[in-house]
Amino acid sequence: MIILKKFIKKILYYILLSPLLKRTDWYKNLFVKNEYPNNDWYRTHDERNFDIVALGSSGAKWAYEFKEIKGMNWAHAPQTLVEDYNLLRNFHSILKEGGMVLITIMPFTSLNKKTNIYDAIRYLKTGAQAPIEPFLYRKASFYCEYPIWFGKPAYKALIKYLFNIKRNPYNNQLSELSYNPMNQEELEYNALEFINGWKKQFDISDLEAPLTEKNQEGRMFRVELMRKIIDFCIERNYKPIYVIPPVTQHLGKYFTPTFQETYIYSYLKDVNRNIPIIDLSKNTSLQKDELYFNSFFLNQKGRELFTKEVLTHVMI
Amino acid sequence: MKKIKLHNGIEIPAIIMSTNWMDYPTMKKIVTAGLEIGYRAFDTARDYGNEHIVGKVLQECLKEQGLKREDIFITTKIGNSQQEQGNIAEQINISLRNLKTDYVDCWLMHWPYPEYYISTYHKMEKVYKEGKVKAIGMANYHIRHFQKLWEAGLEITPHCVQFEHHPLRTADDIQDFCHKHNIAIQAYTPLCRMIDKIKKSTILQDISSKTGKTIGQVILRWHYQHKSIPCFKSVNPVRLKENFNIWDFKLTENDMQLINSMNADYKYHLESVSCPGF
């Protein structure tokens, strides 16, 4: 009887749920492979000697649009600095001699974030060899095969899909827009949601206050890791460049000069590597609402403008 | 068979057949055909997962064709996972058992595996001194790896280096380094998989028409004339025969330079994909 129940469950999953789940934005965002120059890719593509690659987390994922040069954006959302380093270690040979590595610095890049199952799944689908942690690797492999067992997020995604609810800021279609679908009120609310999320994630009560003891410890780890990334690039004759992207002023107003000094600039000083910085965080022409699809992420039009600006700075 | 002398006096055939990823029936067919055509050098590696098949096939084919072990030249390689284990002296014994032989002609470190490659080389030097391998060397090194190895100090200058080398990747820096230290060059992917950039090259097409040889033969001759030993894979006996027929013509100095001018630092294989942290 138990075997029969299991069999029926499997049948139900494969015939009904799996095809539906694969149509959801949640599934597409989490499980559909991005393009990385892995073992499969290089045997089916002739392109080599790329000019530029970009690393980073969610902000970087929606920051770059390489069209006129050979570039790849390796950022996915979320992505930790550990994954940045692993992606670079696995795929750097796609770069030409002297190629550029854009290291995208987001407001909380300097704080340590533990790799979770979402990071592991996203990392797993890159096809990179080195896994994050054996335990997470096994768990992520299982979810990749049976995403329905993710539980609540999978059910939610199915319900949203079935009832045609599209409010997710990570929605791929939203990111392809050339305007901002949110009004002023929604943008304010969205910015506050991001801020509250980060405060909770990193246990911060006041963004203007000095780093907490825990975050100082995380900072030390990230200083070392960033040095490794930069030294890795330089040893292989690539050009590492820090890029600090803009956000809308709805969100940017929370990133005061004190905040930026505490969370960004002092971090880069601690890393103590003399590499170029393209700081567009307060570039007002790139902070216009119309260039984003929420308060944080650049839309298609914004990505094109921002990338053009970055490339002008690196003189391609 | 044309041969090239390594700096310790050992001679290596000027063209090598690769056996990577082949199963027994395919390898038996190809090695049988290769030996009949005149091939005498075979390349394998622990990472190809078929070292033991190479051993079985070679043992059978030598017997069937009345050849002796010393008539052929075997190159094998030590993989990253073996480097990580660190028991390099034991690893050669495993390779010898797999290959059913009491010596390997050329033993290469497959990759400059980060954190391990210098100590691996020092351990390989000891194995060489014991006589279980006739020559040692490495594959896939860049100049920065050589520099680090040289800085760490070495007793035995490598005899042979294998790397991706073809008209689209002349790797002049590595070639110069090898010439300076009298290290022989083995070229893998010597035809760059005959990708379009090769097949449609007007330089190669013109030389091919002029010499009455195929583009593949022209490239293999180019290798031979600049002392690079091509190591290629084919599962087609007709292609094997064609690739061996490169001794009856010569490229001019101008042809050689034209082919060299195709260099685009193009690597078919992305090194870091096979060796993260490369």
Side-chain angles (χ1 to χ4, degrees), chain A residues 37-39 42-43 46 48-49 89-94 97 129 232 235-236, chain B residues 144 148 193 195 197 264-274 276-278:
Chain A
N38 55 30
N39 215 11
Y42 87 74
R43 290 168 195 277
D46 278 352
R48 300 288 187 275
N49 292 327
R89 283 168 54 83
N90 275 271
F91 302 133
H92 73 86
S93 292
I94 194 68
E97 178 88 6
Q129 276 194 25
F232 184 90
E235 190 183 358
R236 284 150 188 81
Chain B
R144 61 188 157 89
K148 283 197 175 165
R193 298 270 177 126
I195 62 170
K197 285 186 174 83
D265 194 25
Y266 184 96
K267 281 170 278 184
Y268 178 83
H269 297 279
L270 295 183
E271 293 136 329
S272 59
V273 173
S274 297
F278 172 85

Side-chain angles (χ1 to χ4, degrees), chain A residues 21 37 49 70 147 163 185 257:
Chain A
L21 197 63
N49 292 327
K70 283 162 83 173
F163 292 95
E185 200 182 327

Side-chain angles (χ1 to χ4, degrees), chain A residues 225-243:
Chain A
L225 196 50
M226 187 62 86
R227 284 179 184 157
K228 276 188 190 173
I229 291 174
I230 292 170
D231 294 346
F232 184 90
C233 292
I234 291 170
E235 190 183 358
R236 284 150 188 81
N237 204 18
Y238 303 132
K239 289 178 194 158
I241 299 166
Y242 292 132
V243 179

Side-chain angles (χ1 to χ4, degrees), chain B residues 80 82-86 88 109 111-123 141:
Chain B
N80 291 350
Q82 292 97 54
Q83 290 198 55
E84 214 169 303
Q85 287 173 46
I88 305 302
M109 183 193 312
W111 291 96
Y113 193 44
E115 317 295 330
Y116 292 95
Y117 68 94
I118 291 173
S119 67
T120 297
Y121 188 78
H122 290 150
K123 290 172 187 170
Y141 269 43

Side-chain angles (χ1 to χ4, degrees), chain A residues 175-233:
Chain A
S175 70
E176 301 308 313
L177 296 176
S178 286
Y179 63 92
N180 198 325
M182 293 186 176
N183 61 34
Q184 295 295 302
E185 200 182 327
E186 285 173 321
L187 283 167
E188 283 295 317
Y189 180 73
N190 179 257
L192 191 61
E193 271 192 325
F194 274 116
I195 291 294
N196 288 337
W198 286 319
K199 278 181 164 177
K200 192 179 168 192
Q201 183 181 1
F202 298 111
D203 201 17
I204 301 167
S205 54
D206 177 4
L207 292 175
E208 300 271 305
L211 289 183
T212 61
E213 201 175 316
K214 194 182 168 195
N215 281 333
Q216 277 178 14
E217 281 173 26
R219 161 76 65 96
M220 282 161 66
F221 173 74
R222 294 222 142 190
V223 164
E224 282 305 317
L225 196 50
M226 187 62 86
R227 284 179 184 157
K228 276 188 190 173
I229 291 174
I230 292 170
D231 294 346
F232 184 90
C233 292

